[in-house]
Amino acid sequence: MDKQRTLASSASLKGTALHTGENVTLTVRPAPVGHGFKFKRIDLPDEPVVDAKVESVKTVERATTLVEGSVKIHTVEHVISALAGLGVDNALIEMDANEPPIGDGSAAAYVALIKEAGIVEQDAPRSYFTPREPISVQVGDSILTILPDTKFRVSCTQVGPEGRFTQYLSAEITPDFYETEIAPARTFVFYEDVKPLMDKGLIRGGSLENAIVARGDSVLSKEPLRFPDEFVRHKILDIVGDLALSGRRLRGHIVAVKPGHGPNTELARALVKRHSDYVAMAPTPIAAEGGVLDVNEIMRTLPHRYPFLMVDRIIELVEDTRAVGVKAVTINEPYFQGHFPGHPVMPGVLQVEAMAQVASVVMMRRTENIGKIGYFMSADSVKFRKPVFPGDTLFIHCEMLSAKKRLGKAACRCEVNGEVVSEGELLFGLVDK
């Protein structure tokens, strides 16, 4: 099972902020499971914390800015990009100013900072968003689309004014690829945009030491280009950081034409909305070939019936490897009469049963297993983290770890509102009816 990751220790970085020009010290710290990325302003009274979520994005001119009340965090995309790009899920980012240091204009300094702190696995599974159909946004002449995929890929086209510096790159974004091929790419600006930005009070800390200036068909920089297509690589760096504001890791193929912080964050908003639509169980096709099974299809697959059928719908089914099921928990469940009067709580053993039923659906979809029945054999590493109450919607995730002729082993978890409430590894056997 793919586990969440955080930092092994804390590490600090000092430097100058790009837009405000202030000196700032930034410290990355470990954070607990489910924490995500948060910024803490230790220079302000009460040291307020701002969630790195797209809901907090207020301005996106030349950078992504988070605002919560009167607290602002400018230019968050590079540090978040480095964390997400290296596979970190949870981190607290402390600053004594309102903008992270710009470094050399790339994410290389943050990659070095994260590697100094170290990365460790945590005792909880990662939560992924895997769209089932394309999601697209258009802002001006920028178009970004996410296509269903089993990996995280980006195909990006960067186009400058009058078609200058048109560049294209397509790649799977893994931690190793990000560190060597994306993180070193520096931010850039076109010469004709410099004065307007300065007139707006931006790029006060900008220089040729932390940005590339494109003038005509030439570039001005303290060092040669690090890549022939450095501009498009930096655009991908920004995409990774801005989409991390959706709050979930993504399995999908992003196709981006002329991206920018505005279009990027609009796509992040679209991801959040689409996930909410899935959670709300918006009407979807129920055909098996679409990867979605309704309750009738489930009952044709499993022998369970009322009151012991613990799955209402399968909303994701990827061949015979993984599935996501849904169970709407209502007060009408018969077990609530005795568990417990006046304080109804779904029994943990029934959550485990729900996991086993989703795992059985995965196995029973195999042609050679049609007509068989699965018997629960053991449950290992079972943990119950939060109670489940009437009115909750249980999302049951199952990923097959091994599948032999007569035995199947699966890593499973139940989530409510995106938080893990129970989990375990299940072993079951298949026999003829």
Side-chain angles (χ1 to χ4, degrees):
M1 183 185 295
D2 199 7
K3 299 284 189 178
Q4 294 184 33
R5 291 172 174 82
T6 190
L7 302 168
S9 62
S10 299
S12 298
L13 174 68
K14 295 182 179 181
T16 302
L18 173 62
H19 291 297
T20 64
E22 295 183 13
N23 293 322
V24 56
T25 299
L26 178 145
T27 302
V28 291
R29 299 190 183 279
V33 165
H35 180 277
F37 303 137
K38 300 180 190 292
F39 287 86
K40 185 176 184 179
R41 287 283 304 276
I42 62 174
D43 59 315
L44 297 179
D46 300 324
E47 300 185 347
V49 175
V50 177
D51 273 336
K53 295 288 184 68
V54 71
E55 293 85 350
S56 299
V57 174
K58 301 302 180 185
T59 60
V60 288
E61 185 172 11
R62 306 300 302 192
T64 300
T65 297
L66 305 176
V67 179
E68 193 166 302
S70 61
V71 182
K72 295 183 179 181
I73 311 289
H74 298 283
T75 322
V76 301
E77 61 272 12
H78 291 183
V79 61
I80 294 177
S81 178
L83 288 163
L86 292 187
V88 177
D89 302 281
N90 304 299
L92 179 64
I93 307 156
E94 291 185 353
M95 300 193 303
D96 60 2
N98 65 6
E99 185 179 7
I102 187 61
D104 64 1
S106 74
Y110 292 116
V111 166
L113 184 70
I114 294 164
K115 296 192 77 173
E116 176 187 343
I119 301 173
V120 294
E121 279 195 349
Q122 296 176 283
D123 190 20
R126 275 178 167 160
S127 182
Y128 285 91
F129 178 70
T130 306
R132 299 193 294 270
E133 63 281 316
I135 303 171
S136 186
V137 299
Q138 181 169 357
V139 180
D141 55 359
S142 300
I143 302 175
L144 283 80
T145 301
I146 296 181
L147 304 173
D149 204 313
T150 58
K151 302 181 184 298
F152 179 40
R153 294 184 57 86
V154 180
S155 296
C156 181
T157 301
Q158 151 63 24
V159 183
E162 302 171 348
R164 287 180 289 148
F165 295 96
T166 297
Q167 299 174 358
Y168 171 80
L169 180 65
S170 180
E172 179 188 349
I173 309 302
T174 64
D176 288 342
F177 184 86
Y178 180 90
E179 178 180 350
T180 60
E181 304 298 324
I182 299 299
R186 295 162 294 169
T187 192
F188 61 92
V189 63
F190 289 92
Y191 182 79
E192 53 266 39
D193 295 332
V194 172
K195 187 177 185 303
L197 291 171
M198 294 180 68
D199 290 344
K200 293 178 181 180
L202 300 175
I203 62 172
R204 294 175 182 173
S207 72
L208 292 181
E209 293 181 351
N210 54 38
I212 303 169
V213 177
R215 185 173 186 177
D217 293 325
S218 302
V219 295
L220 307 176
S221 175
K222 282 290 187 180
E223 63 175 275
L225 290 176
R226 296 174 178 176
F227 308 96
D229 54 356
E230 188 165 356
F231 289 8
V232 72
R233 290 173 189 254
H234 188 82
K235 287 293 187 179
I236 292 175
L237 185 157
D238 285 342
I239 288 172
V240 172
D242 288 334
L243 289 192
L245 297 174
S246 65
R248 287 174 177 268
R249 290 200 164 270
L250 175 67
R251 286 192 178 113
H253 185 175
I254 302 162
V255 180
V257 179
K258 300 184 70 173
H261 296 298
N264 297 349
T265 52
E266 284 305 307
L267 185 60
R269 293 183 201 278
L271 285 172
V272 171
K273 183 180 184 305
R274 186 60 55 88
H275 180 260
S276 297
D277 291 343
Y278 287 173
V279 171
M281 295 178 64
T284 54
I286 60 176
E289 61 269 22
V292 180
L293 312 181
D294 71 350
V295 69
N296 294 311
E297 186 70 22
I298 292 172
M299 287 193 293
R300 285 193 286 270
T301 305
L302 300 178
H304 306 78
R305 296 295 183 269
Y306 176 85
F308 220 69
L309 183 60
M310 295 293 158
V311 188
D312 297 329
R313 180 184 289 264
I314 300 293
I315 62 171
E316 179 180 327
L317 180 59
V318 181
E319 298 179 347
D320 56 358
T321 59
R322 69 175 187 270
V324 180
V326 175
K327 168 64 179 172
V329 182
T330 77
I331 193 61
N332 293 321
E333 308 290 344
Y335 49 79
F336 281 140
Q337 297 182 44
H339 198 278
F340 301 98
H343 185 65
V345 177
M346 184 180 187
V349 67
L350 294 184
Q351 297 175 45
V352 175
E353 176 61 26
M355 298 180 205
Q357 290 184 15
V358 173
S360 293
V361 168
V362 178
M363 287 291 290
M364 296 304 177
R365 298 300 295 181
R366 290 185 171 187
T367 303
E368 64 268 26
N369 292 334
I370 293 176
K372 295 181 181 179
I373 187 171
Y375 282 97
F376 203 177
M377 298 181 65
S378 69
D380 297 322
S381 303
V382 175
K383 295 181 181 178
F384 301 103
R385 300 186 179 278
K386 292 189 175 182
V388 177
F389 302 110
D392 286 341
T393 299
L394 209 62
F395 284 77
I396 309 139
H397 297 252
C398 165
E399 183 171 351
M400 299 304 300
L401 300 178
S402 63
K404 300 179 182 178
K405 186 175 182 180
R406 292 287 182 177
L407 291 175
K409 186 175 183 180
C412 303
R413 69 183 187 276
C414 293
E415 294 183 358
V416 173
N417 293 326
E419 296 186 9
V420 177
V421 296
S422 57
E423 60 183 332
E425 291 187 359
L426 311 183
L427 181 68
F428 49 95
L430 300 175
V431 298
D432 296 322
K433 290 184 180 179

